[in-house]
């Protein structure tokens, strides 16, 4: 039936792209974990989740798009984590309504915040300071991941840079909303997305010249 054909197609793609089957298993494990775990004690614990549900997708996509060397792998992992963290910061209210809280509990405590603050959507100086910290770290991950785009084959560079740039723009939107992710969802308008694409495309033009330097970064 259709399921058998899908499995055969998947196996054929894995063979043609030399994609490690372990990535798919890690993705399944990550999704399964998300069905059971609703709180994360530390950022390190959250990163494991982000790797499972997002970085694995990036690693599989990298094999489909093609890449120059295994030096690209750490960059793809960081980009996946950054993308998932952006989702988490944008969707705090929606996730809470579903019984989930992806913000590290120890970091909430450091900023004197509790689950009660999340439940009531309190946007005060504690919350703003917490979100500034989270956004700064996520932006740092985007910046650290960017050199890896140079290690992708040319055809995949713009789509990857566009995904990173458009998601990173969500962080700007959260700031523009004064870190209020409770009463409104931080969404970049269609016009806003279109306005970003030319600059993102132009940046990828410089990647071939930087590929050699990027490949030496660990």
């Amino acid at each position: 039936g259709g399921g058998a054909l899908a499995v055969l197609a998947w196996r054929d793609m894995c063979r043609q792209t030399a994609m490690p089957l372990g990535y798919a298993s890690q993705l399944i494990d990550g999704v399964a974990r998300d069905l059971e775990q609703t709180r994360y004690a530390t950022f390190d614990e959250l990163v494991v989740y982000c790797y499972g549900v997002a970085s694995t997708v990036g690693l599989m996509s990298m094999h489909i798009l093609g890449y120059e060397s295994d030096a690209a792998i750490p960059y793809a992992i960081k980009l996946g984590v950054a993308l998932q963290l952006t989702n988490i910061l944008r969707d705090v209210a929606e996730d809470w309504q579903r019984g989930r809280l992806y913000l590290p509990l120890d970091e909430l405590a450091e900023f004197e915040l509790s689950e009660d603050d999340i439940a009531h959507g309190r946007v005060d100086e504690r919350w703003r300071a917490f979100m500034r910290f989270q956004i700064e770290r996520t932006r740092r991950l985007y910046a650290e991941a960017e050199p890896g785009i140079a290690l992708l084959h040319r055809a995949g560079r713009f789509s990857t840079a566009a995904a990173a740039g458009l998601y990173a723009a969500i962080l700007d939107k959260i700031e523009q909303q004064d870190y209020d992710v409770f009463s409104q969802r931080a969404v970049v308008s269609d016009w806003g997305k279109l306005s970003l694409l030319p600059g993102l495309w132009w940046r990828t033009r410089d990647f071939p010249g930087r590929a050699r330097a990027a490949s030496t970064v660990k």
Side-chain angles (χ1 to χ4, degrees):
L5 290 175
V7 170
L8 290 173
W10 170 255
R11 289 180 176 175
D12 185 59
M13 182 183 67
C14 289
R15 184 168 55 252
Q16 292 181 15
T17 61
M19 183 188 299
L21 293 175
Y23 291 150
S25 297
Q26 290 171 344
L27 172 59
I28 293 171
D29 289 343
V31 173
R33 178 177 182 175
D34 191 35
L35 296 175
E36 301 175 354
Q37 185 170 357
T38 61
R39 300 292 187 276
Y40 294 84
T42 66
F43 180 70
D44 287 344
E45 191 175 319
L46 183 61
V47 166
V48 173
Y49 162 72
C50 291
Y51 172 85
V53 299
S55 294
T56 52
V57 176
L59 291 167
M60 288 189 286
S61 299
M62 186 177 73
H63 279 79
I64 296 171
L65 296 171
Y67 61 100
E68 301 297 333
S69 75
D70 286 347
I73 291 175
Y75 296 106
I77 291 173
K78 284 189 175 183
L79 180 57
V81 172
L83 293 171
Q84 189 62 27
L85 289 175
T86 302
N87 275 332
I88 287 169
L89 296 177
R90 179 194 61 194
D91 297 338
V92 173
E94 182 178 332
D95 290 333
W96 177 262
Q97 292 172 0
R98 295 176 177 176
R100 288 175 163 78
L101 179 62
Y102 294 98
L103 303 174
L105 298 180
D106 63 339
E107 293 180 356
L108 282 171
E110 287 178 15
F111 286 86
E112 300 181 351
L113 293 164
S114 68
E115 292 196 24
D116 185 67
D117 293 303
I118 305 299
H120 289 85
R122 296 191 180 102
V123 179
D124 54 20
E125 285 310 307
R126 298 170 303 153
W127 176 254
R128 293 185 183 95
F130 173 80
M131 288 294 283
R132 281 193 290 268
F133 172 77
Q134 299 296 326
I135 288 173
E136 179 183 355
R137 179 168 56 197
T138 305
R139 281 188 175 134
R140 187 163 61 245
L141 284 169
Y142 278 118
E144 292 173 357
E146 183 176 340
I149 299 175
L151 300 176
L152 297 175
H153 288 172
R154 185 182 296 273
R157 291 174 190 165
F158 174 63
S159 61
T160 304
L166 294 177
Y167 257 73
I170 294 173
L171 302 176
D172 299 334
K173 189 68 175 178
I174 292 174
E175 290 176 332
Q176 293 168 14
Q177 295 176 184
D178 196 26
Y179 308 101
D180 181 3
V181 293
F182 301 104
S183 64
Q184 53 187 326
R185 198 167 189 258
V187 177
V188 181
S189 68
D190 290 342
W191 172 248
K193 293 174 183 177
L194 288 173
S195 67
L196 289 170
L197 291 178
L200 293 168
W201 175 81
W202 186 259
R203 283 164 61 184
T204 62
R205 289 170 56 90
D206 187 42
F207 283 157
R210 291 158 47 192
R212 183 179 300 276
S215 66
T216 64
V217 177
K218 300 298 184 183

